Amino acid sequence: MVAEARAGWAGPILVEPFSAADLPDIAEQADGVVVGAAWMQDFRLVRAAAKLGLPVIVQRGPAATLEEWLAIADYCVAEGNDQVALCECGSRTPMPGGGITLDLAMAREARDRTGRPVLVALGRDAELAGAAVAAGADGLMLAPDAEREVVAAAREAAVVVGAMVRREDPATVAEARQVIDRVDAALATLLERRAELAGVVQRLKPVGGFAGRDMERERSLVAAMARRAPVLGADRLAPVMNAVIEAGLHLAEERRAGPDGG
Ligand SMILES: C=C(O[C@@H]1C=C(C(=O)O)C=C[C@H]1O)C(=O)O
């Protein structure tokens, strides 16, 4: 089973034991052991799993309180295993359609209190990926059978939302470039959306395109942006936004002309 999973997946293989009998195989083949939400009260199995020396992921049972959840992590640490991460998998609160109700506030609290990485299990629902990242999630888990598009959407939301709301502290050129790449991913997404919206205005204004350019509006949007980007300031933002606006106007004019120039 593990060998099969490894063949189709480049990431770490985390395995949840059904019983203590599974532990030797897990120790030999897996990269991490999962303390499942369903049996987090089985302290003997929790202890035995922690003793394998592999990283442990402690899932929160659907009715477990924060204290109960963190106590299981403490059990693992007491077995001498400090490689413990937590995983929020949702509460038992009934949801129409059987969806899970993730407790993102609890996930955030668990992270703040323990300093340990907290994963959020999204099931097959990528739509909460951005919310989980905004709440501080260090990683997202999707159901093994989640569709490719769902995985891609979750990854995209994590990058874009993460770049917007989380500050990172890179220490090397390579790390700083990775963070820049994520910020640029968010910028590209926003620039594309902005160009579409500016195109809407060109179609709705009595005179669109370069002929209907409104410099007063452009100055005022730069001034508003400078309030959010005080370090750059209006003087540095102005040429950047001029290029952005002109790119939007060129696009709108090309589209109006049509593929063969009108
Ligand atoms: C979009 C408009 O048309 C032009 C493009 C602008 C923009 O991209 O923000 C701003 C002012 C206009 O020069 C507008 O008038 O709002």
Side-chain angles (χ1 to χ4, degrees):
M1 268 294 269
V2 173
E4 209 175 282
R6 232 181 244 297
W9 163 245
I13 307 282
L14 312 174
V15 181
E16 176 183 347
F18 277 121
S19 73
D22 294 334
L23 294 177
D25 283 349
I26 291 178
E28 209 168 290
Q29 299 179 42
D31 301 306
V33 57
V34 176
V35 170
W39 55 271
M40 60 177 271
Q41 307 289 0
D42 182 344
F43 299 115
R44 282 164 70 182
L45 190 50
V46 171
R47 286 209 171 109
K51 271 200 187 130
L52 297 180
L54 292 174
V56 186
I57 318 292
V58 179
Q59 294 186 341
R60 184 176 74 84
T65 64
L66 179 65
E67 274 68 27
E68 288 163 344
W69 186 23
L70 299 188
I72 306 302
D74 289 342
Y75 267 108
C76 298
V77 176
E79 292 305 322
N81 190 336
D82 197 37
Q83 299 184 83
V84 178
L86 298 154
C87 181
E88 163 60 14
C89 309
S91 291
R92 54 187 298 189
T93 319
M95 273 273 270
I100 44 173
T101 52
L102 289 172
D103 202 325
L104 297 180
M106 189 155 1
R108 185 185 53 191
E109 184 68 21
R111 188 172 183 269
D112 289 351
R113 254 203 233 181
T114 64
R116 296 190 181 282
V118 175
L119 312 176
V120 173
L122 300 170
R124 277 176 217 82
D125 180 2
E127 285 182 15
L128 286 178
V133 169
D138 298 285
L140 303 175
M141 303 229 290
L142 288 156
D145 60 350
E147 282 162 17
R148 211 177 258 275
E149 301 77 58
V150 170
V151 176
R155 189 170 280 150
E156 188 62 17
V159 169
V160 172
V161 175
M164 300 277 291
V165 301
R166 290 177 63 164
R167 284 197 94 86
E168 295 183 70
D169 221 355
T172 65
V173 170
E175 278 172 21
R177 283 184 174 170
Q178 280 176 6
V179 180
I180 287 176
D181 288 348
R182 292 197 282 274
V183 170
D184 284 350
L187 261 178
T189 305
L190 292 176
L191 285 171
E192 185 90 344
R193 189 174 306 165
R194 191 188 194 289
E196 291 295 344
L197 291 167
V200 171
V201 177
Q202 305 322 313
R203 291 195 294 278
L204 295 175
K205 280 204 297 199
V207 181
F210 280 92
R213 208 160 170 182
D214 179 345
M215 298 316 284
E216 188 45 44
R217 161 76 181 151
E218 292 185 24
R219 267 190 296 279
S220 88
L221 73 81
V222 167
M225 289 175 80
R227 289 197 281 279
R228 291 203 166 80
V231 173
L232 281 172
D235 289 349
R236 287 189 191 83
L237 278 175
V240 173
M241 290 314 296
N242 187 59
V244 167
I245 290 167
E246 289 191 352
L249 290 170
H250 280 299
L251 174 67
E253 295 211 340
E254 277 166 33
R255 281 184 167 173
R256 191 179 49 187
D260 51 18

